Amino acid sequence: MDTFSEHVARAILFAAAVIALFVLQVLPSADGVLLLHHQVLIALLGVALLGAALFRPIRPAVVAVGLLSQAGFVASALAMPGFSATTVLYLNLAGLAALLLVGFLLLRSARQQARWEGLSAPQRGT
């Protein structure tokens, strides 16, 4: 069942993929291991997010991996005192927020679908 929440989640997944690909354009040339590693992960994440927008079964895994990837880079960037790519940091924070919203919307959609199909837990105490 396609719910409104699921349609919004798919649109946000697509937008997050575009943000990920935009991060690749904004990043300076890879002069350090952290930045090269981040470029490879962002490219893979962008492709995975596009796939998740199209294929329902991989959405939870892609959202979880995307959250870990984005949070890891944000934590690493905040821990480095001389990190100068603030635009990249803000784009990653935007991607992190988008993936959190997608996770919430997908959980909401799954709950609505379970309720629709009558699979929710029975009421106790009756």
Side-chain angles (χ1 to χ4, degrees), residues 5-52:
S5 297
E6 191 169 341
H7 288 296
V8 172
R10 287 180 63 198
I12 294 172
L13 281 170
F14 184 75
V18 171
I19 288 173
L21 297 177
F22 186 67
V23 166
L24 287 176
Q25 299 289 33
V26 175
L27 277 174
S29 61
D31 56 354
V33 175
L34 177 65
L35 213 48
L36 180 62
H37 184 302
H38 183 251
Q39 287 175 341
V40 170
L41 285 178
I42 286 295
L44 290 173
L45 181 62
V47 170
L49 288 170
L50 285 175

Side-chain angles (χ1 to χ4, degrees), residues 55-101:
F55 302 109
R56 181 181 294 162
I58 65 171
R59 286 181 192 153
V62 169
V63 169
V65 169
L67 284 171
L68 288 173
S69 174
Q70 297 283 1
F73 180 76
V74 168
S76 299
L78 291 176
M80 292 177 55
F83 188 75
S84 62
T86 56
T87 304
V88 173
L89 180 63
Y90 292 138
L91 286 172
N92 277 296
L93 284 172
L96 187 63
L99 287 173
L100 284 171
L101 181 60

